[in-house]
Amino acid sequence: MTAARIALDEGRVRAVMFALGATLTVIFQTVIALIFARFIDAHPEVVILLREIGLAIFILLTIYFFSRGTHKPKSAKEVKVRSKKGRFFFGMLLSAINFFPIPFYVIVSVSLSSFGYFDFENSEIGNFVTGAAVGSFMAFYCYISLFSKLESKTAVILKNMNYIIGSVTGLVSIFTIINILEYYFG
């Protein structure tokens, strides 16, 4: 959504620079996730502990986003960006503070491995990282391209974004609770 906002406010070139910076960070996050996933794949007893930690995090995020949704946003300050490099590094920074890609790619790679579609070999890891990078950049580029055409309709989505994210994290929390209860009682 930030890429779309930058495209609307500052132009497509700056938004693409933001997307490139965010994509570079996603590459590093994916490599870190696959290192964790390789360890988890070799030690399945760690999975339930990670689910419990993840549950606590998702519950806290749900509470946070729903409470943020009730607050009225402060008026935005006018920020002038002087270079395209600033948006590149801003993309890297914003992507770096987003911790969702690491557990996401851990879960995806371990799941694919359990179904026999992925092995933790260097060539497959390289393909996975490349796919994650290309997919991330394409998603950013779609935001950049499509939201400028749908600018009038995006206001409702942007206004309710905290509720949307809170709902998603709430659903993940519910599914995680069910999964943990099945593990202990089922």
Side-chain angles (χ1 to χ4, degrees), residues 37 39-54 106-107 110 176 179-180 183:
F39 174 79
I40 290 170
D41 194 51
H43 300 89
E45 66 276 4
V46 176
V47 173
I48 193 65
L49 176 65
L50 292 176
R51 284 184 188 151
E52 291 169 350
I53 293 169
V106 167
I107 290 168
V110 169
T176 305
N179 194 289
I180 290 172
Y183 175 79

Side-chain angles (χ1 to χ4, degrees), residues 8 16 20 22 34 41 44 46 49 65 78 83 86 100 116 133 141 149 164 181:
L8 292 173
V16 168
L20 287 171
L34 292 175
D41 194 51
V46 176
L49 176 65
F65 282 114
E78 187 69 29
S83 74
F100 280 119
Y141 195 78
K149 294 175 181 145
I164 294 168
L181 291 175

Side-chain angles (χ1 to χ4, degrees), residues 10 20 38 44 75 99 109 112-113 118 129 137 141 158 160:
E10 301 174 25
L20 287 171
R38 183 184 291 173
S75 60
F99 67 92
S109 63
L112 289 173
S113 176
F118 180 75
V129 171
F137 183 77
Y141 195 78
L158 291 174
N160 296 310

Side-chain angles (χ1 to χ4, degrees), residues 43-133:
H43 300 89
E45 66 276 4
V46 176
V47 173
I48 193 65
L49 176 65
L50 292 176
R51 284 184 188 151
E52 291 169 350
I53 293 169
L55 173 62
I57 291 169
F58 280 116
I59 288 173
L60 290 173
L61 284 172
T62 301
I63 293 167
Y64 171 78
F65 282 114
F66 277 122
S67 68
R68 291 279 306 192
T70 59
H71 291 95
K72 297 198 181 203
K74 296 177 183 175
S75 60
K77 294 181 181 177
E78 187 69 29
V79 177
K80 294 189 179 185
V81 179
R82 293 183 176 86
S83 74
K84 295 175 195 164
K85 286 187 240 176
R87 284 301 175 196
F88 179 82
F89 291 116
F90 181 62
M92 288 180 65
L93 173 69
L94 211 56
S95 189
I97 61 175
N98 178 12
F99 67 92
F100 280 119
I102 294 174
F104 174 76
Y105 289 125
V106 167
I107 290 168
V108 168
S109 63
V110 169
S111 298
L112 289 173
S113 176
S114 70
F115 290 119
Y117 295 121
F118 180 75
D119 289 320
F120 291 99
E121 297 176 12
N122 290 341
S123 63
E124 290 195 35
I125 289 173
N127 290 337
F128 192 100
V129 171
T130 301

